[in-house]
Amino acid sequence: MTELDPQTEPSKANGRRTALIVILVAFVASATTAILAISESHRARKSDAAALSADVSDLRGMAADWTARVDDLEHAPVDAQPARLEALKPRIDQLASWKARTPCGHDARDALRASVDTRVLYLRRVLAKETVPEARIDERRALEDSLKRCASEQGADVNI
């Protein structure tokens, strides 16, 4: 049987050294993770900003085109208006199939689409002589309101 020599005591310095190394490694790993998270967050923010800018540009272009076509319809001779109303359908389909790059773009597209659909229903009622042209439906305002709401909520879901 082997006995410990009463003259030798286990070294406390080795235990402390090991604990310090473990703490140092944990600190380095934690700092590295934080740096990577911050840089990825920054990259994602830049990417989202560029994608949102492209979404806004596309949607504003669609809204401007839509407004011009509706103005053309409203100022057309009465007998040409039904055909021009039907010519708006491909624009509605194009808006519906447009792929947003960001959640904000998706919400803004949905707001614009709802406003466009409301305008078409209203125009159909006017052309059918079911109502008089008095309502002011503003597709551009619906789009801008949606974009403002999105900008005010931006980053609200991030908790660091």
Side-chain angles (χ1 to χ4, degrees), residues 40-138:
E40 180 60 23
S41 174
H42 178 70
R43 186 203 61 76
R45 256 186 269 128
K46 282 178 65 176
S47 175
D48 284 350
L52 181 58
S53 177
D55 280 355
V56 169
S57 177
D58 288 353
L59 288 168
R60 283 182 177 153
M62 287 182 196
D65 178 64
W66 175 263
T67 302
R69 289 175 185 273
V70 168
D71 287 346
D72 185 46
L73 179 147
E74 290 175 342
H75 294 98
V78 175
D79 58 331
Q81 288 179 345
R84 291 194 182 177
L85 181 61
E86 288 306 312
L88 293 176
K89 176 122 176 65
R91 293 298 180 191
I92 297 170
D93 294 340
Q94 180 184 14
L95 176 61
S97 65
W98 177 78
K99 300 285 188 230
R101 298 166 189 87
T102 63
C104 272
H106 185 269
D107 293 345
R109 180 200 61 200
D110 290 347
L112 180 59
R113 174 72 195 271
S115 182
V116 162
D117 287 343
T118 301
R119 172 70 74 125
V120 168
L121 291 174
Y122 172 73
L123 289 172
R124 287 188 196 284
R125 290 182 59 213
V126 168
L127 293 178
K129 308 274 192 249
E130 294 174 4
T131 188
V132 294
E134 62 186 45
R136 292 288 153 225
I137 302 166
D138 191 352

